[in-house]
């Protein structure tokens, strides 16, 4: 797994895919917004499309909803090819970034709008509206108009409206973007609880990696219209398959080097700057040819810094150039003897023992061979 | 000069806001008071053609002219006729103007300005000339009849000029931009993600139009309708030039009273009555709207 060659593209085995996207592309003029994307999402998943603005994640979401039709490729919902099906005939619903609540209708009418289009009988409709409104704890506000609600309440109306038709998939386009920080954190957990309770497949679009990691069970990292890696949050963080993903999810120390040897599941890499040789454990069966250029990725919290040499296989020396004290932990910016800048995050547990490192001090850096990842892309 | 003197800038702002009110006072309220005064006096031969209200220190006001308006059915007929013609014309304007406004509002960005310009382009030619041009088109020896005759579609000219049809046509043609512009303004402002949301929730395009676009554009519909209806009720030039003597509209009657019969007091009474009949319901509607909005808050 260490080199990220895992078959990341299949949904977890037990769940039949509720959505399959096969080599779907969407172009706007010369710009390829979505570029031959393959994706399978299982029933009941909470899936996140993560990427910076302009990476194509929203276009991909709009293709699932039916607002954009693929220029090539197919989109299957519950096994049915819906590539050309208009939005009003797809069994998916969307929570818009702007919420797009109908300003001339009450909360109850907004939520019941989709059911009315279905031709559901009045009494049944009223029951369903009451049910989803209680699900999002808005029963008391059913008769209000959207402009009489707070931002958080509007967001919940949008959510209730999206869930009212019991869609196979609920699409959420940056649903927390308009909320302030406190409310956003609380809503994250409410969304997860709601997803668990309804069993609906959620597909979330976000640029916020923390949000994606908190809520979803699988994440697809997108850039320039392509999916770079798909996997559970832990896998993306611990075993990114490219420098881009390593850098995008959390922070990463990326050390360039060249493979100089390999024995018994341990790869030796000579770093480009400084020339030290470091050892990285890899999974059985994974091998690298001698002479290949690679990047060694070490997460800041997996590195240690100290005044004494550690005596392990991976050791660098350097000087502390900056310290960010965050309370629970401190982040030390260290310039190595080889001229690379790395970050070391250490928990501030031992405030009684020893003097903390200071700026300008010479330090030794070390990490365990199994805590680094070799990246080739 | 007022940058370092907030009082002066405040006064300046007041002055700017006051100008329109001054304008209304001088050119609307004062003339209205004068016309109202004349409507209470009696007609006579001479200059001016009415008796002064103040004679020997006595106010000689009387309501006789208003009573006469109710006695002679001509005025009521003319008024009802005018309202009927204005209503029909405004409705036709709405039916033609709504798709136009929607089309322009939903057109690609670079097309919107030229299309809007095309809507207001007729204003660059005199209104009178354009109505005369319609006479040329509609008359028995006119362009349309000649064309239809030449093509063998008709055997003899169709009487179009001096009919109710021509009056409606003239009003619809002349006032269409007043319908399109306010409609465009509301439709263009509309958040298009609302339509996507409707579609996402299962509404076909036509349903989405009826349940979202149309209700949200109602303020534009009302504004456009009034902007066509109000001037159309008092329209004089179009029925005079395109209509027949049987097309009796209140504007024409007003003209006849003033300039043919030279009965200024009666004409004034008619003008005042007309104004009240049109403005009063509108003011009431507006106050209802404000009250409803206040209640919603």
């Amino acid at each position: 797994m260490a080199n990220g060659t895992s078959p990341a593209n299949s949904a977890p085995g037990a769940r039949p895919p509720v959505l399959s996207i096969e080599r779907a592309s969407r172009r706007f003029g010369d710009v390829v917004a979505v570029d031959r994307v393959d994706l399978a999402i299982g029933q009941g998943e909470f899936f996140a499309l993560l990427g910076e603005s302009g990476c194509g994640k929203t276009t991909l979401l709009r293709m699932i909803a039916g607002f954009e039709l693929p220029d090539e490729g197919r989109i299957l919902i519950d096994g049915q090819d819906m590539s050309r099906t208009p939005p009003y005939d797809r069994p998916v619903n969307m929570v818009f970034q702007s919420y797009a609540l109908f300003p001339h209708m009450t909360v109850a009418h907004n939520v019941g709008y989709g059911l009315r289009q279905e031709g559901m009988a009045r009494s049944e409709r009223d029951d369903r509206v009451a049910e989803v409104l209680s699900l999002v704890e808005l029963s008391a506000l059913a008769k209000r108009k959207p402009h009489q609600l707070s931002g958080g309440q509007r967001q919940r109306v949008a959510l209730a409206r999206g869930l009212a038709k019991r869609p196979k998939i609920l699409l959420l386009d940056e649903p927390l973007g308009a909320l302030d920080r406190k409310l956003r954190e609380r809503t994250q957990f409410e969304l997860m609880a709601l997803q668990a309770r309804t069993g609906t497949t959620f597909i979330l679009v976000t640029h916020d990696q923390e949000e994606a990691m908190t809520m979803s069970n699988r994440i697809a990292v997108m850039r320039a219209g392509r999916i770079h890696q798909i996997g559970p949050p832990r896998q993306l963080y611990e075993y990114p398959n490219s420098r881009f993903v390593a850098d995008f999810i959390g922070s990463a120390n990326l050390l360039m080097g060249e493979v100089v040897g390999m024995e018994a599941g341990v790869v030796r890499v000579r770093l480009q700057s400084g020339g030290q040789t470091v050892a990285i454990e890899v999974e059985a069966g994974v091998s690298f040819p001698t002479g290949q250029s690679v990047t060694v990725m070490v997460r800041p919290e997996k590195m240690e810094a100290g005044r004494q040499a550690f005596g392990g296989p991976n050791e660098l020396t350097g000087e502390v150039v900056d310290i960010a004290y965050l309370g629970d932990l401190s982040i030390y910016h260290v310039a190595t003897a080889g001229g690379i800048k790395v970050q070391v995050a250490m928990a501030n547990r031992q405030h009684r023992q020893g003097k903390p490192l200071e700026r300008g001090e010479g330090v030794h850096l070390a990490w365990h061979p199994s805590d680094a990842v070799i990246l080739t892309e | 000069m007022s940058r370092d003197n907030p009082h002066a800038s405040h006064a300046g702002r007041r002055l700017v806001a006051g100008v329109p009110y001054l304008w209304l006072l001088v050119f609307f309220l004062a003339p209205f008071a004068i016309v109202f005064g004349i409507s209470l006096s009696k007609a006579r031969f001479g200059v001016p053609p009415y008796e002064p209200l103040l004679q020997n220190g006595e106010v000689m006001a009387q309501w006789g002219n208003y009573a006469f308006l109710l006695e002679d059915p001509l005025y009521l007929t003319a008024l009802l006729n005018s309202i009927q013609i204005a209503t029909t014309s405004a409705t036709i304007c709405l039916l033609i103007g709504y798709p136009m406004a929607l089309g322009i509002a939903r057109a690609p960005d670079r097309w919107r300005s030229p299309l809007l310009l095309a809507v207001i382009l007729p204003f660059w030619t005199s209104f009178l000339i354009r109505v005369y041009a319609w006479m040329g088109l509609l008359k028995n020896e006119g362009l349309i009849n000649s064309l239809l005759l030449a093509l063998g579609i008709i055997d003899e000219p169709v009487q179009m000029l001096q009919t109710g049809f021509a009056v409606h046509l003239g009003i619809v043609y002349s006032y269409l931009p007043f319908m399109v512009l306010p409609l465009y303004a509301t439709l263009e402002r509309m958040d298009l993600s609302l339509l996507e949301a409707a579609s996402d929730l299962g509404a076909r395009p036509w349903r989405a139009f009826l349940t979202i676009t149309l209700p949200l554009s109602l303020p534009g519909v009302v504004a456009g309708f009034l902007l066509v209806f109000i001037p159309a009720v008092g329209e004089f030039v179009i029925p005079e030039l395109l209509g027949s003597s049987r097309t009796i509209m209140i504007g024409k009657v007003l003209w006849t009273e003033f300039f043919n019969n030279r009965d200024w007091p009666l004409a004034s009474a008619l003008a005042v009555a007309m104004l009240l009949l049109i403005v009063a319901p509108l003011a009431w509607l507006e106050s209802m709207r404000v009250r409803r909005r206040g209640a919603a808050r």
Side-chain angles (χ1 to χ4, degrees):
Chain A
M1 288 274 273
N3 64 342
T5 51
S6 62
N9 228 340
S10 57
R15 297 156 160 172
V18 68
L19 173 76
S20 306
I21 297 177
E22 299 171 357
R23 282 183 75 78
S25 296
R26 178 76 177 110
R27 284 178 285 271
F28 298 106
D30 292 336
V31 182
V32 185
V34 171
D35 189 6
R36 287 161 292 166
V37 162
D38 283 300
L39 185 62
I41 294 175
Q43 167 60 46
E45 276 200 80
F46 198 138
F47 193 92
L49 293 168
L50 175 64
E52 281 159 352
S53 58
C55 72
K57 57 189 193 298
T58 299
T59 305
L60 187 58
L61 195 77
R62 291 171 58 81
M63 284 165 79
I64 301 169
F67 299 129
E68 305 286 348
L69 298 182
D71 293 316
E72 59 187 51
R74 296 203 304 165
I75 294 172
L76 289 89
I77 298 168
D78 225 12
Q80 265 188 297
D81 187 351
M82 297 221 161
S83 312
R84 305 270 134 203
T85 308
Y88 47 81
D89 282 334
R90 295 194 187 198
V92 302
N93 285 126
M94 181 142 156
V95 176
F96 289 78
Q97 186 172 12
S98 63
Y99 309 146
L101 299 180
F102 306 130
H104 56 302
M105 297 182 194
T106 61
V107 167
H109 279 129
N110 263 285
V111 173
Y113 185 86
L115 305 173
R116 190 185 292 250
Q117 303 313 313
E118 258 178 12
M120 185 185 275
R122 176 81 191 264
S123 60
E124 197 182 343
R125 201 168 68 211
D126 290 348
D127 290 347
R128 182 80 70 84
V129 168
E131 180 194 318
V132 282
L133 280 181
S134 79
L135 205 59
V136 297
E137 291 163 29
L138 276 181
S139 306
L141 305 179
K143 295 216 158 50
R144 296 263 185 99
K145 290 266 183 78
H147 69 87
Q148 298 167 303
L149 302 177
S150 73
Q153 289 167 339
R154 277 180 221 180
Q155 197 262 357
R156 269 144 64 201
V157 176
L159 208 55
R161 191 176 68 177
L163 286 169
K165 291 185 80 174
R166 298 194 179 142
K168 294 210 166 97
I169 306 170
L170 186 70
L171 308 169
L172 303 111
D173 186 6
E174 304 263 5
L176 311 179
L179 305 179
D180 62 53
R181 196 185 153 81
K182 266 263 154 58
L183 192 55
R184 195 158 59 215
E185 279 169 11
R186 206 177 65 212
T187 312
Q188 283 179 1
F189 289 97
E190 284 177 3
L191 268 180
M192 290 160 70
L194 200 59
Q195 197 262 345
R197 219 174 328 156
T198 58
T200 311
T201 309
F202 276 29
I203 301 179
L204 169 84
V205 153
T206 181
H207 66 273
D208 183 337
Q209 47 126 341
E210 231 174 282
E211 193 173 296
M213 303 211 12
T214 307
M215 291 197 279
S216 51
N217 62 326
R218 279 203 307 154
I219 299 173
V221 181
M222 286 187 75
R223 181 166 75 155
R226 309 220 57 173
I227 292 181
H228 270 243
Q229 190 174 1
I230 301 180
R234 179 180 291 275
Q235 188 193 333
L236 292 188
Y237 186 79
E238 302 289 350
Y239 304 107
N241 66 0
S242 62
R243 297 164 54 96
F244 168 70
V245 174
D247 209 27
F248 190 73
I249 306 240
S251 31
N253 295 311
L254 299 170
L255 314 169
M256 312 270 272
E258 186 184 301
V259 176
V260 290
M262 214 188 137
E263 74 272 350
V266 175
V267 180
R268 301 203 165 275
V269 175
R270 189 169 59 230
L271 299 184
Q272 213 172 63
S273 11
Q276 292 99 330
T277 302
V278 294
I280 294 100
E281 274 178 24
V282 294
E283 272 188 355
V286 177
S287 71
F288 294 91
T290 303
Q292 186 178 8
S293 299
V294 294
T295 303
V296 177
M297 193 279 294
V298 192
R299 295 286 181 195
E301 75 279 7
K302 300 209 161 68
M303 267 196 190
E304 252 186 305
R307 293 192 180 88
Q308 268 84 49
F310 292 92
N314 300 322
E315 186 134 353
L316 302 176
T317 54
E319 186 192 320
V320 177
V321 291
D322 238 323
I323 303 170
Y325 176 75
L326 304 177
D328 51 347
L329 47 85
S330 290
I331 295 176
Y332 301 91
H333 294 244
V334 178
T336 68
I340 322 165
K341 288 223 169 98
V342 297
Q343 291 183 25
V344 183
M346 290 197 293
N348 294 319
R349 270 180 307 211
Q350 304 136 328
H351 69 287
R352 265 168 240 246
Q353 301 158 11
K355 218 168 73 154
L357 294 171
E358 279 172 23
R359 186 179 306 185
E361 258 189 284
V363 289
H364 293 263
L365 302 172
W367 65 92
H368 195 269
S370 65
D371 281 344
V373 175
I374 296 182
L375 305 172
T376 52
E377 278 175 38
Chain B
M1 58 158 200
S2 60
R3 180 171 294 173
D4 42 17
N5 186 344
H7 296 286
S9 98
H10 191 71
R13 214 175 300 155
R14 232 181 236 179
L15 190 71
V16 169
V19 165
Y21 289 101
L22 193 71
W23 177 275
L24 276 177
L25 188 73
V26 172
F27 294 105
F28 179 76
L29 268 182
F32 182 76
I34 295 169
V35 168
F36 183 65
I38 296 173
S39 75
L40 297 177
S41 73
K42 279 192 175 119
R44 67 162 194 200
F45 289 104
V47 179
Y50 56 88
E51 290 178 354
L53 272 183
L54 268 175
Q55 284 177 19
N56 310 327
E58 230 179 307
V59 182
M60 305 290 286
Q62 48 95 22
W63 297 95
N65 294 315
Y66 290 93
F68 187 73
L69 288 182
L70 292 174
E71 272 166 39
D72 192 330
L74 168 75
Y75 304 106
L76 191 65
T77 312
L79 182 74
L80 290 180
N81 236 340
S82 301
I83 288 175
Q84 183 263 311
I85 289 174
T87 308
T88 317
S89 306
T91 307
I92 297 170
C93 273
L94 179 64
L95 294 178
I96 300 174
Y98 201 105
M100 276 176 78
L102 192 61
I104 299 172
R106 300 285 180 265
D109 274 346
R110 66 203 152 86
W111 277 104
R112 269 183 233 167
S113 293
L115 286 172
L116 270 184
L117 194 68
V119 170
I120 42 181
L121 207 58
F123 287 133
W124 293 34
T125 320
S126 155
F127 167 67
L128 212 54
I129 290 176
R130 284 182 284 133
V131 177
Y132 269 109
W134 273 110
M135 291 175 73
L137 288 171
L138 295 175
K139 64 185 175 190
N140 286 359
E141 319 81 61
L143 217 57
I144 295 174
N145 270 320
S146 310
L147 192 69
L148 291 178
L149 281 170
L151 289 173
I153 295 170
I154 51 173
D155 297 327
E156 53 184 77
V158 178
Q159 173 74 35
M160 287 186 288
L161 198 59
Q162 293 174 348
T163 62
F165 165 73
V167 174
H168 283 98
L169 181 71
I171 292 177
V172 169
Y173 164 78
S174 304
Y175 291 109
L176 189 58
F178 295 107
M179 179 63 83
V180 173
L181 293 178
L183 276 176
Y184 169 79
T186 45
L187 288 169
E188 197 262 344
R189 240 189 0 232
M190 214 183 99
D191 179 3
L192 291 184
S193 70
L194 297 180
L195 290 180
E196 288 193 337
S199 175
D200 183 65
L201 291 165
R204 279 150 201 285
W206 182 241
R207 287 281 305 164
F209 172 78
L210 288 180
T211 53
I212 309 295
T213 310
L214 192 61
L216 287 178
S217 65
L218 272 185
V221 171
V222 172
F225 196 90
L226 292 181
L227 279 177
V228 174
F229 177 82
I230 293 172
V233 169
E235 183 55 54
F236 165 72
V237 173
I238 293 172
E240 177 71 14
L241 295 181
L242 302 180
S244 71
S245 53
R246 277 168 296 135
T247 332
I248 303 165
M249 285 184 75
I250 202 82
K252 258 171 84 175
V253 174
L254 203 58
W255 173 278
T256 314
E257 293 298 348
F258 259 116
F259 298 102
N260 294 10
N261 300 350
R262 284 187 63 79
D263 190 343
W264 284 27
L266 185 65
S268 300
L270 189 56
V272 170
M274 204 172 112
L275 190 78
L276 292 181
L277 277 174
I278 294 174
V279 169
L282 290 182
W284 178 75
L285 260 178
E286 179 65 20
S287 77
M288 288 297 287
R289 207 167 59 88
V290 169
R291 198 177 312 164
R292 206 168 38 216
R293 193 183 297 166
R297 284 273 149 80

